[in-house]
């Protein structure tokens, strides 16, 4: 294909338009910039000059390249100038009537062959296209802010857009050095469709006081490796913008999970729009600043003193148990590793030795530290030997009956006053507690896999957990250099309750043939900076494990939108469980 669209008009040179104009000029194309009036045109040109000067200062552009680039751009305020363009990209404010008016005018002004693209985030591309007599040559080109760093472009086709126009637009995006993904005309497209539903749930979680804003944000950063927590991200995006996108999504889906959380409306009414107004979920140094001045730094400090912990028992011999033993032993605690038989316990210790050896060979641990940690771990084949420990962490099979039986046993054995913790990820902690005669001493300590590497621990207090037990676990987390977040005993805690509905939404998107596995994964990685796309993550976690968590969440909240996507059930039924079986959403065997 020839280089598509040698001359491009950009209408509206604000945040997005100015960025797009520069990106297009950088690709060697001629850019016709069009603003609303003479004043705004002058301001837009100044903005472009300033942005490119900044790029030169940052060494992203040479002075020569900047001069050449600026020579490619003209800025005026007559829409008629768009007549000379092969492609027009509209980037005016997010108002349907304004966009429709501009498209009607452009349709009159531009030759029949000109392709018209809108930069809308949440409006219907179809409705904008309907303002023209050439809807087959109208599409959405959704760039991300800031345009110069964000590689993703969503190429949005309506039912009327011809495939060839979409292909040309994708080729054009690639030519700008961007990665295009194909999307249909649905509010939010791929990225925002998945992102905003999740942000909305995080806002609702905060509003219900299930956890603090700092804990919600830390949980998603540390538990999922996301670049930002959801509430900090809402502040960055702008609470008003987020609310508009969610309104548009709800309008189309009628899914209650898209109905903007009431807190968003309250913040907007109060003028607390996020960073841009200096306050949203957090308060910032000044409007536009990224420095939150009222965020609690570091993990929560308990008001009550905790109990003394010198020795720890860990029950189980699997991945989590072994990882948790490693965490405690490396921090200098005496650990009894208790399994159903001495043989199993010894095998688990051998696994631990291997893991420590790996750390030594990678230079992350000194040989003496490895030896010291190993010397602190004693494998035992009977739970009776845990009688004298100060704290027990249970990491046996994720089966309520098995766990309840273990807690009943521990209740009979372990000394009074010891803390009994479960690392369950989907079972109610209170059901473990009620198997004992001391529910006040029982708490959840949800580690993430691999425990030695993942910094997060969700500290789950039940309605009966004693405050000094919570304090004990928070203090212990600090001593073993984990970041604890506090939450209540409900399905999914913080991380899984926010993560799995998002993964389920991605499966639903796929099931509805809205976008492909690769496009959705690429979109979330490039559009949100996620370390993995949803399907990569599902294949790693395991489709069966994911389905179980989704069922638990649906059972707990009875929200129709949380029902597991049938496609996930079908894949599990077919034995496609992800990497562990060689096939899940992707075929790993053939790779
Ligand atoms: N800001 C983001 O993060 C972001 C990201 C992706 C997409 N978008 C979408 O991009 C579009 C532009 O958003 P923005 O953030 O750049 O807005 P903005 O307010 O920064 O810029 C809009 C520009 O359009 C100009 N304008 C207004 N009326 C005009 C007219 N009749 N003719 C020509 N120019 C006119 C304004 O003077 C202003 O410079 C919106 O549809 C928005 O939803 C924004």
């Amino acid at each position: 294909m020839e280089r598509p669209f040698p001359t491009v008009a950009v209408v509206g040179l604000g945040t997005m338009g100015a960025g797009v104009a520069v990106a297009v000029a950088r690709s060697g194309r001629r850019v016709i910039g069009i603003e609303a009036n003479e004043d705004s045109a002058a301001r837009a040109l100044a903005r472009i000059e300033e942005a490119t000067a900044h790029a030169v200062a940052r060494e992203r552009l040479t002075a020569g390249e900047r001069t050449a680039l600026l020579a490619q751009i003209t800025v005026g305020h007559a829409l008629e100038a768009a007549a000379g363009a092969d492609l027009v990209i509209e980037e005016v404010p997010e108002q349907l009537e304004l966009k429709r008016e501009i498209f009607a005018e452009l349709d009159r002004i531009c030759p029949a062959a000109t392709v018209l693209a809108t930069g809308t985030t949440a409006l219907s591309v179809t409705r904008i296209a309907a303002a023209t007599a050439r809807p087959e040559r109208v599409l959405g080109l959704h760039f991300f802010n800031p345009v110069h760093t964000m590689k993703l472009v969503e190429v949005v086709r309506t039912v009327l857009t011809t495939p060839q126009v979409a292909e040309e637009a994708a080729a054009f995006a690639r030519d700008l050095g961007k990665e295009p993904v194909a999307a249909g005309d649905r509010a939010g497209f791929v990225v925002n469709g998945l992102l905003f539903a999740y942000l909305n749930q995080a806002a609702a979680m905060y509003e219900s006081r299930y956890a603090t804003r700092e804990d919600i944000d830390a949980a998603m950063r540390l538990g999922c490796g996301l670049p930002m927590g959801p509430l900090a991200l809402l502040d960055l995006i702008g609470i008003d913008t987020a609310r508009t996108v969610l309104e548009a999504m709800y309008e189309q889906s009628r899914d209650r999970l898209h109905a903007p959380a009431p807190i968003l409306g309250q913040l907007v009414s109060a003028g607390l729009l996020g960073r841009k107004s200096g306050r949203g979920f957090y308060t910032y140094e000044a409007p536009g600043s990224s420095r939150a001045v009222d965020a609690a730094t570091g993990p929560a400090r308990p008001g009550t003193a905790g109990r003394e912990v010198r020795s720890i028992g860990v029950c189980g011999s699997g991945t989590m148990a072994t990882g948790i033993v490693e965490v405690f032993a490396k921090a200098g605690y005496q650990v009894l590793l208790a399994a159903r038989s001495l043989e199993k316990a010894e095998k688990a210790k051998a696994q631990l030795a291997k893991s420590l050896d790996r750390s030594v060979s990678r230079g992350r641990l000194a040989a003496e530290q490895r030896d010291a940690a190993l010397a602190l771990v004693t494998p035992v084949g009977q739970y009776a030997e845990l009688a004298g420990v100060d704290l027990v962490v249970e990491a046996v099979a994720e089966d309520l009956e098995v766990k309840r039986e273990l807690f009943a046993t521990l209740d009979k054995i372990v000394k009074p006053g010891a803390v009994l913790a479960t690392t369950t990820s989907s079972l109610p902690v209170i059901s473990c507690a009620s198997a004992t005669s001391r529910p006040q001493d029982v708490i959840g300590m949800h580690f993430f896999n691999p425990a030695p590497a993942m910094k997060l621990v969700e500290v789950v207090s039940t309605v009966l957990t004693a405050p000094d037990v919570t304090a004990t676990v928070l203090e212990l987390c600090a001593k073993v250099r984990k970041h604890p977040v506090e939450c209540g005993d409900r399905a999914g805690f913080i991380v899984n309750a926010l993560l799995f509905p998002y993964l389920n939404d991605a499966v639903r998107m796929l099931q509805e043939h809205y976008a492909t596995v690769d496009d959705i994964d690429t979109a979330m990685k490039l559009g949100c900076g996620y370390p993995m796309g949803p399907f990569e993550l599902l294949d790693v976690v395991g489709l069966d494990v994911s389905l179980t968590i989704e069922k638990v969440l649906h059972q707990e909240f009875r929200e129709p939108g949380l029902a597991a996507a049938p496609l996930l059930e079908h894949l599990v039924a077919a034995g496609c469980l992800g990497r562990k079986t060689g096939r899940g959403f992707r075929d790993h065997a053939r790779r």
Side-chain angles (χ1 to χ4, degrees):
M1 201 187 289
E2 268 185 36
R3 267 189 113 205
F5 312 125
T7 303
V8 177
V10 181
V11 181
L13 299 167
T15 311
M16 295 307 289
V20 170
V22 170
V24 175
R26 242 195 132 164
S27 74
R29 291 176 168 82
R30 213 159 69 75
V31 177
I32 304 166
I34 302 168
E35 257 294 335
N37 52 51
E38 211 172 317
D39 280 355
S40 62
R43 279 199 303 274
L45 188 59
R47 198 158 40 237
I48 289 171
E49 285 172 349
E50 197 185 317
T52 48
H54 189 69
V56 173
R58 291 273 183 103
E59 296 181 359
R60 286 198 312 261
L61 202 66
T62 67
E65 283 166 342
R66 174 173 181 256
T67 310
L69 183 160
L70 290 176
Q72 297 285 94
I73 306 179
T74 57
V75 177
H77 58 92
L79 201 57
E80 280 68 23
D86 307 293
L87 165 71
V88 183
I89 304 177
E90 165 277 309
E91 295 286 0
V92 303
E94 191 77 345
Q95 297 153 20
L96 183 62
E97 273 324 303
L98 175 64
K99 293 198 193 251
R100 281 176 53 92
E101 272 167 33
I102 288 177
F103 270 72
E105 280 287 287
L106 287 171
D107 191 37
R108 194 180 51 74
I109 292 166
C110 298
T114 308
V115 172
L116 307 180
T118 170
T120 186
T121 299
L123 300 172
S124 156
V125 179
T126 311
R127 283 200 214 170
I128 295 170
T132 74
R134 65 176 93 191
E136 71 288 349
R137 301 190 73 70
V138 176
L139 81 173
L141 271 181
H142 186 229
F143 287 84
F144 287 74
N145 186 20
V147 177
H148 65 86
T149 48
M150 300 293 283
K151 282 188 77 77
L152 187 68
V153 178
E154 287 171 316
V155 178
V156 184
R157 269 176 70 177
T158 73
V159 284
L160 294 174
T161 313
T162 56
Q164 193 208 340
V165 165
E167 277 160 30
E168 274 175 20
F172 164 74
R174 254 179 243 113
D175 206 45
L176 300 188
K178 304 289 178 200
E179 184 90 41
V181 300
D185 186 22
R186 187 196 272 193
F189 311 134
V190 176
V191 173
N192 289 346
L194 292 177
L195 175 69
F196 280 73
Y198 146 75
L199 295 177
N200 199 34
Q201 293 323 296
M205 187 181 262
Y206 167 74
E207 185 167 31
S208 70
R209 302 195 182 193
Y210 176 65
T212 65
R213 55 185 185 177
E214 286 86 353
D215 279 0
I216 293 172
D217 279 348
M220 298 314 287
R221 276 190 290 110
L222 302 174
C224 302
L226 306 187
M228 274 180 106
L231 302 175
L233 181 55
L234 278 165
D235 274 357
L236 172 63
I237 291 170
I239 313 288
D240 49 342
T241 306
R243 193 156 177 276
T244 308
V245 173
L246 283 163
E247 284 289 4
M249 285 171 59
Y250 178 76
E251 193 62 30
Q252 285 184 4
S253 69
R254 306 282 167 183
D255 182 342
R256 268 176 36 194
L257 297 175
H258 297 158
I263 180 96
L264 299 175
Q266 293 161 36
L267 290 170
V268 171
S269 304
L272 308 179
L273 307 183
R275 281 190 195 180
K276 61 186 168 191
S277 57
R279 189 167 154 199
F281 285 99
Y282 296 90
T283 302
Y284 297 86
E285 212 166 40
S289 155
S290 60
R291 229 177 72 84
V293 288
D294 63 345
T297 47
R301 293 271 163 267
T304 327
R307 302 176 187 174
E308 194 181 9
V309 177
R310 285 211 187 130
S311 61
I312 296 175
V314 175
C315 302
S317 50
T319 316
M320 284 315 284
T322 317
I324 294 167
V325 170
E326 178 171 335
V327 168
F328 291 133
K330 279 203 292 211
Y333 285 94
Q334 286 281 354
V335 188
L336 294 180
L337 197 178
R340 276 169 294 172
S341 68
L342 184 59
E343 196 194 346
K344 276 183 187 291
E346 277 170 347
K347 257 199 186 149
K349 185 171 176 185
Q351 279 301 325
L352 166 64
K354 261 198 208 159
S355 162
L356 292 171
D357 280 342
R358 265 198 306 276
S359 298
V360 172
S361 64
R362 287 184 188 156
R364 291 202 206 113
L365 196 73
E368 306 79 62
Q369 288 172 308
R370 169 196 59 196
D371 298 343
L374 272 178
L376 288 169
V377 179
T378 313
V380 299
Q382 282 173 0
Y383 295 129
E385 305 201 34
L386 299 180
V389 299
D390 302 308
L391 180 137
V392 180
V393 181
E394 160 286 305
V396 301
E398 188 75 348
D399 175 319
L400 189 55
E401 278 324 300
V402 172
K403 291 202 194 273
R404 278 179 59 86
E405 203 178 300
L406 175 60
F407 272 89
T409 307
L410 292 173
D411 188 32
K412 292 196 199 92
I413 293 168
V414 184
K415 69 178 183 192
V419 172
L420 306 178
T422 169
T423 195
T424 183
S425 39
S426 58
L427 301 170
V429 178
I430 193 67
S431 303
C432 297
S434 64
T436 72
S437 63
R438 41 173 138 172
Q440 72 281 1
D441 295 337
V442 178
I443 191 165
M445 233 183 141
H446 185 218
F447 284 86
F448 287 72
N449 188 22
M454 299 290 282
K455 297 244 12 127
L456 187 70
V457 177
E458 286 174 319
V459 177
V460 187
S461 301
T462 75
V463 284
L464 295 176
T465 306
D468 68 333
V469 167
T470 308
T472 308
V473 172
L474 293 173
E475 286 168 11
L476 179 63
C477 285
K479 287 191 185 134
V480 301
R481 303 180 64 184
K482 294 289 172 199
H483 187 116
V485 293
E486 281 187 81
C487 59
D489 184 24
R490 67 180 209 195
F493 310 138
I494 301 174
V495 173
N496 287 350
L498 292 177
L499 175 66
F500 282 87
Y502 146 73
L503 296 175
N504 199 34
D505 284 351
V507 177
R508 225 179 280 132
M509 232 178 214
L510 177 69
Q511 170 185 290
E512 289 160 4
H513 301 288
Y514 179 68
T516 64
V517 166
D518 286 342
D519 274 359
I520 296 173
D521 274 354
T522 302
M524 295 316 286
K525 284 193 284 187
L526 297 182
C528 300
Y530 285 6
M532 276 190 223
F535 298 107
E536 276 175 85
L537 186 56
L538 282 160
D539 275 2
V540 169
V541 172
L543 273 52
D544 49 343
V545 174
S546 304
L547 181 60
T548 304
I549 296 176
E550 287 179 6
K551 284 187 169 163
V552 168
L553 285 170
H554 183 233
Q555 180 64 21
E556 178 96 316
F557 299 107
R558 307 293 168 97
E559 194 59 67
L562 294 179
L567 176 60
L568 184 64
E569 305 223 24
H570 293 168
L571 286 167
V572 172
C576 300
L577 307 184
R579 281 188 179 272
K580 59 189 168 189
T581 60
R583 187 162 166 198
F585 285 98
R586 288 193 173 84
D587 194 344
H588 302 280
R590 279 203 238 124
R591 284 175 175 235

